[in-house]
Amino acid sequence: MGGRRVAVTGIGVKSPAGNGIEEAFTSVLKARSTAAVVGRLVDQDLPVHIACLVPPFDLDAYVTRREARQIDRTTALLLCAAADAVTEAALPPGLAPDRVGVQIGTGIGGLPSMEAVTLSHGERPREMPVHTVPRTMANSAACRLAMRYGFQGSCTTYSAACASGTTAVGEAARRIRYGQLDAAVAGGTDSAVSTVVMGAFARMRAMSARNADPELASRPFDADRDGFVMGEGAAVLVLERWDLAQARGARIYGEVAGYADTCDAFHIVAPQEEGEVAARCMRAAVADAGLTPADIGHVNAHGTSTVLNDRAEARAIDRCFGGQPPPVTAVKGVTGHLIGGSGALEAALALLCGARGVVPPIANLVSSPEADLVDLVIGTPRTVAPAAVLSNSFGFGGQNACLVLTPEQ
């Protein structure tokens, strides 16, 4: 607690739910899954054939042909989302370049590009494409973004599994709050619908096997859930000092008011079963915002649609709110799991939901064994008073990251 307030003045989204924040918001409210059969996964004879992909958009409007040859899809999606966010924010030209930072999260990074190069040139290393290293570097997306706009402040890439995007937004807010930066472009990105990644997750039995019914596969908290659905996408938030944003008359979506991160230190892929450490992270984020659990209007759950994660998160929410949780939603029923991109997308959606006083229903949720612990929103959007929102992200390795976002006041 303390330091400068942090405003959100721009949002850019390239996601399965839509290629803009308003389109994604509308899609999430409808609670219709975007999962579909992906032909190349069928052709590769993988055990899982379904994923949630970003709908087509005009890539040439964002990336030159030369850039396109030098970057992979993870970086391309990030640059496109960032372009929309930076354009909307219209940061003043007077900002010193070393006072604007870039903080990006990715769980997979350039692994799919490395996979493709290995398959095509593994036996001909002398013919390796010259751009292989910059295409596959985990920090490529962040650095390309900084180069595009000349942002010379802290440029950091976070890899905290599925908590990467949330971590990036939270750490960017910290830097602004405590005077290290005046503004930051923060978010997350991943495009992991590739042979090795999909095959590896399927081998772990972490993914839904509903190839025949893709639209029913992602079902957070539902009694019949059987794993997550892979998604892809990027989301970017432009953050800046509240006083500077207010002084220049910028549109302010709201505030990144609180952030915390913890580690279960329990298991490399499974969450701590009772949710104790995750609950501690939630409480710390709420306290960081100067609020109490009673001030939270709703929770955007990580809600992956896996048995262990949803169960542990429900227990954590119950612990955090002392048995009286606010309404809980989980948008991965619509979008699938964007890995490093999820936390940033969900933070942006949560902020809009909190400001507009609406909680989206959870797609494909019919009945839940966790219903006695948390107030899950089923069927239709629920109207609530505009209020602060808690957005959760939990990843392999026990990585927990939580954000509290508040509407403009």
Side-chain angles (χ1 to χ4, degrees):
M1 184 61 181
R4 298 174 176 87
R5 296 177 67 189
V6 180
V8 179
T9 56
I11 298 175
V13 166
K14 298 300 174 195
S15 81
N19 288 314
I21 186 59
E22 291 294 343
E23 184 180 354
F25 177 79
T26 299
S27 179
V28 164
L29 285 184
K30 292 178 180 177
R32 294 174 186 166
S33 174
T34 60
V37 172
V38 179
R40 67 178 184 271
L41 301 180
V42 177
D43 295 341
Q44 292 162 351
D45 196 28
L46 290 171
V48 173
H49 300 161
I50 60 176
C52 297
L53 302 181
V54 175
F57 64 94
D58 185 7
L59 181 63
D60 292 341
Y62 296 91
V63 177
T64 68
R65 297 293 175 88
R66 181 181 180 185
E67 281 180 307
R69 291 193 297 270
Q70 298 175 355
I71 62 178
D72 70 355
R73 186 163 173 80
T74 294
T75 297
L77 291 172
L78 187 280
L79 291 178
C80 296
D84 290 345
V86 171
T87 297
E88 181 181 52
L91 292 171
L95 275 178
D98 63 347
R99 299 292 298 170
V100 184
V102 175
Q103 311 287 302
I104 300 300
T106 179
I108 302 296
L111 178 58
S113 285
M114 180 64 78
E115 170 192 324
V117 169
T118 301
L119 291 174
S120 62
H121 291 80
E123 297 181 3
R124 307 191 313 278
R126 290 182 181 272
E127 302 173 19
M128 199 73 70
V130 68
H131 295 296
T132 297
V133 171
R135 279 177 66 91
T136 58
M137 297 188 313
N139 66 328
S140 181
C143 293
R144 293 271 182 186
L145 174 54
M147 290 164 57
R148 173 175 282 198
Y149 296 102
F151 298 147
Q152 297 175 350
S154 170
C155 180
T156 309
T157 299
Y158 299 90
S159 187
C162 307
S164 298
T166 295
T167 300
V169 174
E171 293 296 336
R174 276 182 175 169
R175 281 167 168 73
I176 295 170
R177 178 186 287 186
Y178 294 113
Q180 297 171 358
L181 297 171
D182 292 327
V185 182
T189 184
D190 264 315
S191 182
V193 185
S194 73
T195 304
V196 169
V197 177
M198 296 290 287
F201 275 114
R203 178 66 172 161
M204 294 174 63
R205 298 184 179 179
M207 304 180 73
S208 174
R210 285 187 169 91
N211 291 327
D213 296 300
E215 70 281 359
L216 301 178
S218 186
R219 43 197 319 117
F221 297 102
D222 188 73
D224 200 27
R225 63 187 184 265
D226 70 330
F228 78 91
V229 174
M230 183 67 76
E232 64 166 1
V236 169
L237 287 71
V238 175
L239 311 181
E240 59 181 299
R241 282 173 45 185
W242 185 281
D243 58 322
L244 296 180
Q246 199 170 48
R248 70 183 182 88
R251 172 186 178 175
I252 297 177
Y253 280 96
E255 180 177 0
V256 181
Y259 164 66
D261 62 325
T262 62
C263 181
D264 285 353
F266 171 73
H267 191 278
I268 197 62
V269 295
Q272 195 273 334
E273 297 174 6
E274 297 303 319
E276 297 172 3
V277 183
R280 189 183 309 146
C281 188
M282 295 182 210
R283 288 194 295 267
V286 172
D288 190 50
L291 303 175
T292 69
D295 297 315
I296 301 299
H298 81 272
V299 176
N300 180 86
H302 185 56
T304 59
S305 186
T306 59
V307 172
L308 294 181
N309 176 272
D310 291 0
R311 180 189 301 154
E313 184 171 14
R315 291 170 177 170
I317 293 170
D318 179 57
R319 285 176 179 271
C320 176
F321 290 94
Q324 296 181 314
V328 174
T329 190
V331 303
K332 290 183 181 69
V334 173
T335 66
H337 196 343
L338 281 54
I339 311 297
S342 284
L345 173 63
E346 291 169 20
L349 290 168
L351 182 55
L352 261 65
C353 290
R356 298 175 184 182
V358 60
V359 187
I362 301 173
N364 296 321
L365 178 56
V366 178
S367 64
S368 173
E370 287 78 41
D372 60 331
L373 296 176
V374 288
D375 179 13
L376 301 167
V377 180
I378 302 177
T380 58
R382 188 180 304 183
T383 301
V384 296
V389 180
L390 175 66
S391 189
N392 294 336
S393 290
F394 307 124
F396 280 2
Q399 304 268 193
N400 306 314
C402 300
L403 289 167
V404 173
L405 306 120
T406 59
E408 182 183 9
Q409 297 178 355

